Amino acid sequence: MAMAARFICIVAVCLLGVNAAPSQKLQDEVLDEAKMDTPQLLKKHGYPVEIHEVITDDDYILTMHRVPYSPVSPLVDGTKKPPILVQHGLLSSSADWVLMGPGIGYAYILADAGYDVWLGNCRGNTYSKRHKTLDVNSDEFWDFSWHENGIHDVPAEINYILNVTGEEKLFYAGHSMGTTMFYVMCSERPEYNDKIRAMFSLAPIAYMNHMTSPFFKLFSKGEAFIAVILKLLGIKEFLPNNELMDLAGKVLCKDGAIFQKVCSDVLFLIAGYDSKELNETMLPSIIAHTPAGASVKQLLHYAQEINSGSLFDPGHFRQYDYGIFGNKAKYGQWSPPDYDLSKITAPVYLLYSENDWLAGLRDIQRLFDGLPNAHKYDVPLHSFNHLDFLWAIDANQLVYSETVKIMKDY
């Protein structure tokens, strides 16, 4: 009822013209950026960009976007810039880190601070829908969760970066699923701990028993039913970006549109409510780039995490559950094996917020307790939510500057 009442008020306000829209020039610029990909956005703002192809050990072809320096921090002969791999979350891409522009977007902040910035794109998203032999429309291509992202994609990206730069170690920053992939990698392939200077977890996701997102709660409750229906329908990719989504963002979510507040409310329903930190003018550009595609199995794996706990079970951070017989065949045991957090010895900084509806405080504390070399940083804004780590107006002051400060100690 409250949402319905708010919607009526929004319509009335918009129709009466009470809210003054930003300049037409600014709106046109945002709509123009909605058509651009990551390299084009970087070039528009005068930042250099390189496109690199990485082949995983199971033959997926990934695209990485590199920002080797910035106009603020140019290359100096004989001086190497420390590399950092920045990894997106679920349904996202490298575009997340550049959409908000210089001075606000994380990629620009890092490049300006003197780092060699590599933006990853995991298998199945907008920039990484290729394989050496598998067709993108085949069941085999989409048969992966974030477990495969962790044991194949991230190691391939790290190996490539270190080979190109000649460095022995790099920094790693991930958001949401970008953190999950890292935990999987360093627990299943612990030799990669030695290749990490420090890791920054923005909105860390491992255990999920105490997340409060209404969207993911609903999705997880029907996980088994949804899995069957999607399989019967032959749906393997979840929410790919397409022209319809792009058009909806430009028409329904632009400044002055009646439905703009509804667009922002959808984001808040998933991630936590915080209207103050969201620049609603940027919604058409955000929705044009996100969702960037994901496998159904990635979402189902998270749903299993949410459902793994009970009254007498604290819940699990573990591999994909194929059912008791499937687990016995794949793992040699009736339930999936848990990831061993004690093997993650690289320095890990957990940057979290109290209003994050996906990364619950009790789940973060449990993750912290299980990591041998972990540090915590509570974002000093109570209303900061899960997506604010990407697009908040004050993300630099509240989060990014903290990571840059810590990196100087390494």
Side-chain angles (χ1 to χ4, degrees), residues 11 31 37 41 43 77 83 125 134 146 153 215 221 233 235 274 308 327 330 355 365-366 390 408:
V11 172
L31 294 177
D37 60 18
L41 287 166
K43 290 177 183 177
D77 291 342
N125 88 349
L134 299 177
W146 35 261
D153 294 1
F215 172 83
K221 293 302 180 185
L233 294 175
I235 297 174
D274 180 16
S308 65
N327 292 335
K330 186 171 181 62
N355 189 42
Q365 184 61 46
R366 189 177 175 197
L390 300 176
K408 291 178 180 178

Side-chain angles (χ1 to χ4, degrees), residues 295-348:
S295 75
V296 167
K297 196 172 180 181
Q298 286 173 316
L299 272 88
L300 293 176
H301 199 170
Y302 275 132
Q304 292 176 356
E305 297 286 293
I306 296 168
N307 293 329
S308 65
S310 66
L311 183 62
F312 303 104
D313 186 344
H316 299 268
F317 176 45
R318 61 187 181 184
Q319 296 189 38
Y320 195 85
D321 191 342
Y322 292 94
I324 56 174
F325 298 111
N327 292 335
K328 188 66 175 176
K330 186 171 181 62
Y331 307 122
Q333 58 188 55
W334 301 116
S335 59
D338 288 72
Y339 295 109
D340 187 352
L341 295 179
S342 69
K343 293 182 178 180
I344 306 175
T345 56
V348 175

Side-chain angles (χ1 to χ4, degrees), residues 1-19 257-259 261-262 265:
M1 289 294 291
M3 182 65 75
R6 181 178 178 190
F7 176 76
I8 293 170
C9 291
I10 290 166
V11 172
V13 168
C14 290
L15 288 177
L16 290 172
V18 174
N19 289 331
I258 292 175
F259 292 97
K261 290 291 183 183
V262 177
D265 279 341

Side-chain angles (χ1 to χ4, degrees), residues 72-255:
V72 176
S73 178
L75 289 175
V76 178
D77 291 342
T79 303
K80 286 188 173 182
K81 292 180 178 292
I84 177 170
L85 170 59
V86 187
Q87 190 65 55
H88 63 80
L90 183 68
L91 293 168
S92 297
S93 74
S94 58
D96 284 352
W97 311 109
V98 302
L99 284 177
M100 306 309 291
I104 304 177
Y106 196 28
Y108 303 106
I109 300 297
L110 291 169
D112 289 349
Y115 293 92
D116 180 4
V117 184
W118 294 75
L119 308 177
N121 286 292
C122 68
R123 64 186 64 189
N125 88 349
T126 303
Y127 299 102
S128 298
K129 287 186 178 178
R130 290 185 294 155
H131 190 278
K132 290 178 69 174
T133 59
L134 299 177
D135 185 273
V136 70
N137 296 311
S138 67
D139 291 343
E140 292 80 10
F141 181 94
W142 292 100
D143 186 20
F144 63 85
S145 77
W146 35 261
H147 175 81
E148 284 71 27
N149 298 142
I151 64 172
H152 298 301
D153 294 1
V154 178
E157 291 174 337
I158 290 174
N159 291 342
Y160 185 91
I161 295 170
L162 297 181
N163 182 56
V164 169
T165 62
E167 296 288 324
E168 294 183 358
K169 295 187 176 187
L170 51 70
F171 290 105
Y172 181 104
H175 173 252
S176 193
M177 191 178 76
T179 71
T180 312
M181 290 187 265
F182 180 89
Y183 308 143
V184 170
M185 176 186 70
C186 285
S187 59
E188 293 295 299
R189 304 184 67 173
E191 66 273 17
Y192 278 87
N193 283 285
D194 294 332
K195 300 185 179 187
I196 306 298
R197 288 191 179 191
M199 185 273 184
F200 301 96
S201 293
L202 311 183
I205 298 288
Y207 301 105
M208 295 191 72
N209 302 94
H210 300 95
M211 69 96 218
T212 55
S213 166
F215 172 83
F216 276 92
K217 275 186 174 294
L218 182 63
F219 183 86
S220 64
K221 293 302 180 185
E223 176 253 325
F225 175 74
I226 291 170
V228 171
I229 294 300
L230 292 176
K231 186 173 183 179
L232 289 173
L233 294 175
I235 297 174
K236 305 170 284 293
E237 182 181 9
F238 188 85
L239 287 182
N241 189 272
N242 54 45
E243 292 181 3
L244 181 60
M245 290 289 292
D246 187 18
L247 180 63
K250 292 175 183 176
V251 175
L252 301 180
C253 304
K254 67 179 181 179
D255 280 318

